[in-house]
Amino acid sequence: MQNDYILGIESSCDDTSAAVICNGKVLSNVVANQEVHSKYGGVVPELASRAHQQNIVPVVQQAIEKAGIKKEDLSAVAFTRGPGLMGSLLVGTSFAKSLALGLNVPLIDVNHMQAHILAHFIVEEGSNIPPFPFICLTISGGHTQIVKVTDHFNMEILGETIDDAVGEAFDKSAKILGLPYPGGPYIDKYAQLGNPKAYPFTKPKVGDMDFSFSGLKTGILYFIQKQQRINPNFITENLNDICASIQYTIVEILMDKLKNAVKHTGIQHIAIAGGVSANSEIRRRLSTADKHFGWTTYIPKFEYTTDNAAMIAITGYLKYLNKEYADENISAKARLKVTE
Ligand code: KG4
Ligand code: ZN
């Protein structure tokens, strides 16, 4: 069998990442996180593009070195075209174009949201690849969607958020509690030691498979403000319980919507994707869903949940097999639906 080496480049938000895969197996997956944003409580687009500019050459070099190949061995260069921050996307797009042109290999554009889902097709020992059709709950800092996946590149959005993404719900709640950005992993960490039923928060009322998180965030803010008027140390004294209660409410919402999706479609193969699928509670609840509801669940490896280039490389590989190459005039696109 011929070895097809695909380089993937991801620069849609605040992680600069490069990965090399060979015939669907990951040889390297290098991620440079940008610390610079944490003191601002969110991603600063201008700083993100500058950091990508500084990181991209060493990150790509490291990915190629770790893979044990030379850049001349590459069969194609895949990059994130969108969705994401325009300035950030432009860095990866321009770099990928120049490299592909220099090496005289095909250039392949990748949709970041499709890539989160297609991370499930990375070939690994013991990996559990979902059969078509399956339902994917895509949960990240920018998106919250229930997607029906009929084929690698045939996806249909069954439901999505009408306001904030679930990652934002985690991050904004964390900000209210004075935790650093991004706060999702901190809520997850403190929640492990808390009582999830300590404080009941109201679940939103929206369409069967749609989501809304802005009301929950406001509810949490008012609750905290009220408690702090009674006890100024309320947050520090009850941090674990508050985090556990917030996380419990969010995961309950996600599970309710998945149950609705199964009811509507009859599909019982359920996958999760995106940064929030790193959350330990959603992983725990899904891993027992086969026992409770008869579902077969697909939970990606931790390193393929938050933004990474291995997912870009595997999507690039699947397109490479179909000879779906990009034209060199292609440009980055800040807004791109999972179906585009
Ligand atoms: O997919 P991702 O890396 O970037 C986007 O494309 O948005 O997702 C980032 C989001 C952030 O909101 C972050 O707080 C959240 O994923 N996140 C988590 C956890 N790890 C990352 N949320 C809850 N629990 C976690 N363990
Ligand atoms: Zn993402």
Side-chain angles (χ1 to χ4, degrees):
M1 186 179 172
Q2 183 192 325
N3 282 337
D4 292 319
Y5 295 101
I6 313 290
L7 172 71
I9 295 175
E10 156 63 29
S11 74
S12 65
C13 190
D14 61 339
D15 295 304
T16 319
S17 180
V20 175
I21 64 164
C22 178
N23 305 341
K25 282 194 184 142
V26 178
L27 301 184
S28 63
N29 183 31
V30 179
V31 185
N33 303 113
Q34 302 180 357
E35 285 302 320
V36 60
H37 307 287
S38 75
K39 64 172 179 277
Y40 297 99
V43 177
V44 184
E46 179 66 28
L47 297 179
S49 18
R50 279 192 227 178
H52 283 305
Q53 193 78 268
Q54 284 166 348
N55 292 342
I56 192 124
V57 171
V59 164
V60 168
Q61 244 164 8
Q62 263 184 51
I64 292 174
E65 258 167 46
K66 275 197 178 164
I69 60 161
K70 296 190 291 294
K71 60 181 185 309
E72 291 74 21
D73 296 325
L74 291 172
S75 318
V77 178
F79 69 99
T80 303
R81 183 185 181 210
L85 301 169
M86 189 42 117
S88 293
L89 291 167
L90 282 173
V91 177
T93 305
S94 312
F95 187 87
K97 273 192 195 185
S98 329
L99 186 61
L101 205 63
L103 294 173
N104 196 23
V105 295
L107 175 71
I108 299 172
D109 60 304
V110 169
N111 177 321
H112 180 92
M113 297 314 295
Q114 289 182 353
H116 268 303
I117 296 174
L118 296 174
H120 283 281
F121 292 85
I122 289 172
V123 178
E124 263 179 5
E125 217 159 297
S127 66
N128 190 11
I129 293 178
F132 298 119
F134 66 91
I135 298 289
C136 189
L137 175 68
T138 309
I139 39 181
S140 74
H143 294 84
T144 305
Q145 291 181 332
I146 295 186
V147 181
K148 179 179 164 187
V149 187
T150 311
D151 204 348
H152 291 128
F153 297 102
N154 188 354
M155 304 186 184
E156 182 192 345
I157 301 170
L158 301 179
E160 59 190 328
T161 182
I162 58 165
D163 43 54
D164 289 351
V166 61
E168 281 179 283
F170 271 107
D171 297 340
K172 288 178 178 173
S173 305
K175 198 170 180 179
I176 295 169
L177 302 176
L179 299 172
Y181 177 86
Y186 289 94
I187 296 205
D188 191 349
K189 183 175 129 196
Y190 294 115
Q192 320 253 345
L193 304 167
N195 171 10
K197 307 252 172 88
Y199 309 108
F201 295 112
T202 317
K203 290 196 270 179
K205 289 184 183 59
V206 275
D208 259 10
M209 290 185 278
D210 286 329
F211 301 86
S212 166
F213 289 105
S214 71
L216 176 65
K217 173 196 64 194
T218 315
I220 292 167
L221 176 67
Y222 289 167
F223 169 77
I224 296 291
Q225 286 174 340
K226 189 172 156 205
Q227 295 301 322
Q228 277 183 318
R229 280 196 291 272
I230 303 163
N231 171 11
N233 298 325
F234 178 74
I235 294 179
T236 40
E237 285 171 14
N238 301 284
L239 188 60
N240 296 341
D241 284 351
I242 303 170
C243 288
S245 303
I246 293 173
Q247 179 170 281
Y248 175 77
T249 311
I250 293 178
V251 173
E252 275 285 295
I253 295 170
L254 298 176
M255 291 301 293
D256 284 353
K257 301 297 174 169
L258 274 179
K259 286 179 207 162
N260 291 342
V262 171
K263 208 159 63 190
H264 278 283
T265 62
I267 298 170
Q268 295 199 313
H269 290 283
I270 309 294
I272 48 169
V276 180
S277 59
N279 181 265
S280 59
E281 181 63 9
I282 185 77
R283 294 171 88 88
R284 191 186 66 76
R285 291 284 293 277
L286 274 179
S287 61
T288 57
D290 47 350
K291 261 205 317 273
H292 295 314
F293 315 119
W295 301 352
T296 312
T297 54
Y298 304 85
I299 302 173
K301 255 177 99 175
F302 197 76
E303 60 259 46
Y304 305 139
T305 54
T306 45
D307 287 349
N308 68 88
M311 69 184 199
I312 305 303
I314 187 70
T315 308
Y317 176 58
L318 294 168
K319 286 185 123 180
Y320 177 80
L321 294 177
N322 294 339
K323 294 198 167 43
E324 280 181 59
Y325 307 147
D327 194 81
E328 63 194 40
N329 298 325
I330 192 156
S331 53
K333 209 162 173 234
R335 287 174 172 274
L336 199 60
K337 285 209 169 102
V338 71
T339 45
E340 284 181 60

